Amino acid sequence: MAENTDKYAIRTRDLNLWYGTFQALFDVDLAIKEGIITSLIGPSGCGKSTFLRSVNRINERLGYARIEGSIEVLDKNIYDPDVELVQVRKQVGMVFQRPNPLPISIRDNVLFGYNIHTQGQTSRSEQDDIVEQALRQVLLWDEVKDRLDQKATELSLEEQQKLCIARLIPVKPGVLLMDEPCSALDPKGTEAVEELIWELRGKYTILIVTHNMAQARRASEECIFMLLGKVIEHTQTEDMFVTPEKQETADYIEGRYG
């Protein structure tokens, strides 16, 4: 039997999560491969966003969230007592449903997280290079290079979402989490952000929550289907959409619920 040489960016074991007395995740065991795009699908309330927010410990902000089990990111359990939250956030970037640029210039948005981690100890020319590289990676440089001092909140929604991704890049995360990153965008903006996500493939491990079946199929290599806080199926995207193993997966993909 061939040895499995896959490297995993995210591994969870016996992951259970409660909001107060309500259990949102049940015994989630997942191994998400490094350097690929994995989509997470399932009906509203199935635990997709809860899972995503556990991977960079955002759920901790809620005093009533409780977690059991382990989540390893790049081979380290992020819930170990010696792990600092700031390190987790450096390794794991998060993009939300609605773009959330800061009400400061485009340039300062790109540098915001980077300056926190480096305490601003870089020269102006180094910072200029960082801004250009990040904006080029998100296919935004040519559109904004002549107006870097403009307020980021004046950009179109599509440009704002690309900028929010650009803001993560200088910090050099290994993992990018995206919670329905196209849900606030029109079809043209959606297409542009999907193209960007595909461009970033290989440079980062990307985990994307989406309600859009066509998007999951177009923009991911593996797919996870969740239902009622449990993982039902995790396989190659094409296999899931053509020959799902579980009846619940087939029912969801064919639109019988959710």
Side-chain angles (χ1 to χ4, degrees), residues 31 45 52 84 93 112 127-128 155 170 187 227 250 256:
L52 210 65
E84 290 183 19
F112 187 78
Q127 290 187 350
D128 288 344
L155 294 171
L227 187 63
R256 292 192 201 135

Side-chain angles (χ1 to χ4, degrees), residues 4 8 11-12 14 36 39-40 52 54-55 74 115 122 125 146 165 170 182 192 195 206 222 244 251 254:
N4 183 354
Y8 297 102
R11 287 194 89 129
T12 68
D14 302 322
I36 71 164
S39 57
L40 195 49
L52 210 65
S54 301
V55 177
L74 307 173
N115 282 340
T122 37
S125 66
D146 298 323
I165 298 169
C182 301
E195 180 194 341
I206 298 174
E222 290 195 355
D251 288 347
E254 289 163 21

Side-chain angles (χ1 to χ4, degrees), residues 26-200:
F26 295 82
D27 299 319
V28 173
D29 290 315
L30 278 172
I32 294 169
K33 287 183 194 148
E34 206 171 289
I36 71 164
I37 303 169
T38 302
S39 57
L40 195 49
I41 63 171
S44 292
C46 72
K48 305 184 298 293
S49 292
T50 291
F51 177 75
L52 210 65
R53 286 159 182 264
S54 301
V55 177
N56 74 345
R57 292 176 48 177
I58 285 185
N59 284 324
E60 277 180 34
R61 294 181 191 169
L62 307 170
Y64 51 88
R66 181 168 64 86
I67 197 164
E68 285 179 2
S70 68
I71 302 177
E72 288 178 12
V73 175
L74 307 173
D75 298 326
K76 175 71 177 167
N77 182 6
I78 60 168
Y79 286 89
D80 277 350
D82 64 333
V83 173
E84 290 183 19
L85 201 50
V86 68
Q87 283 306 110
V88 174
R89 300 277 161 79
K90 190 168 187 279
Q91 283 187 325
V92 184
M94 181 97 176
V95 179
F96 296 90
Q97 289 183 13
R98 283 200 72 80
N100 58 344
L102 299 159
I104 51 180
S105 73
I106 294 168
R107 183 179 190 279
D108 289 343
N109 262 275
V110 177
L111 292 168
F112 187 78
Y114 176 79
N115 282 340
I116 288 173
H117 289 287
T118 61
Q119 298 175 327
Q121 310 254 320
T122 37
S123 69
R124 173 80 190 198
S125 66
E126 282 177 292
Q127 290 187 350
D128 288 344
D129 287 345
I130 287 162
V131 169
E132 180 174 346
Q133 284 170 17
L135 291 171
R136 280 192 187 282
Q137 264 199 61
V138 300
L139 315 176
L140 197 55
W141 173 250
D142 290 334
E143 292 166 47
V144 303
K145 63 184 177 188
D146 298 323
R147 49 189 175 121
L148 295 176
D149 293 329
Q150 182 184 337
K151 253 193 179 179
T153 45
E154 293 169 10
L155 294 171
S156 72
L157 280 177
E158 172 205 323
E159 290 169 338
Q160 287 183 24
Q161 194 62 297
K162 286 180 171 181
L163 180 64
C164 290
I165 298 169
R167 196 167 63 193
L168 301 172
I169 288 170
V171 180
K172 299 198 167 101
V175 175
L176 295 180
L177 307 177
M178 301 189 175
D179 193 357
E180 294 191 59
C182 301
S183 65
L185 307 179
D186 62 16
K188 185 174 167 294
T190 296
E191 189 182 340
V193 171
E194 279 182 16
E195 180 194 341
L196 163 60
I197 293 166
W198 202 250
E199 281 280 321
L200 296 175

